Each structure stands twice: as C-alpha cells, then as structure tokens.
Amino acid sequence: MAPPGEVAARFGLFALSGRATGFAGPAVLAAVTQATASQRAGMATVLVFLGVGAGVLATVRG
C-alpha cells in the first residue's frame, strides 16, 4: 500500500494503527457489553470495526 521508496518510512504508521486497534477493539467491546448487559451488543462492535476498516480500504488507490 505504501509507495516502494517509502515502505520503511510508513512502517511506523502501520504498526501504530495496529497497536491502536489492538487496544481499542477489546476496550470498546467490553464497554458496550458492560453498558448494555448484552454480549450480543458487545460483539456487534466487531462489525462496526470491520465496516470502518472496509470504508477506509475503499478509499485506497491500488
């Protein structure tokens, strides 16, 4: 996804986004599950994350 000459420069951004998602996903899932007292609602956050990710990928030129 990064230009061939900038792969090393963009690695940090990819690592940061993966780390942020790794922390935010479970935190949001737990918060929604606790707030709604429903595991089904908590797991629905996974679909939200997938939808946001698909939306971001749709904007990437290949």
Side-chain angles (χ1 to χ4, degrees):
M1 295 172 76
E6 297 182 16
V7 173
R10 305 276 173 108
F11 178 76
L13 177 63
F14 294 139
L16 176 64
S17 65
R19 175 77 45 126
T21 305
F23 282 106
V28 170
L29 188 146
V32 171
T33 300
Q34 186 174 13
T36 63
S38 168
Q39 290 181 351
R40 184 175 289 178
M43 289 303 292
T45 61
V46 174
L47 296 175
V48 172
F49 273 98
L50 286 172
V52 170
V56 169
L57 284 176
T59 64
V60 175
R61 294 187 313 259

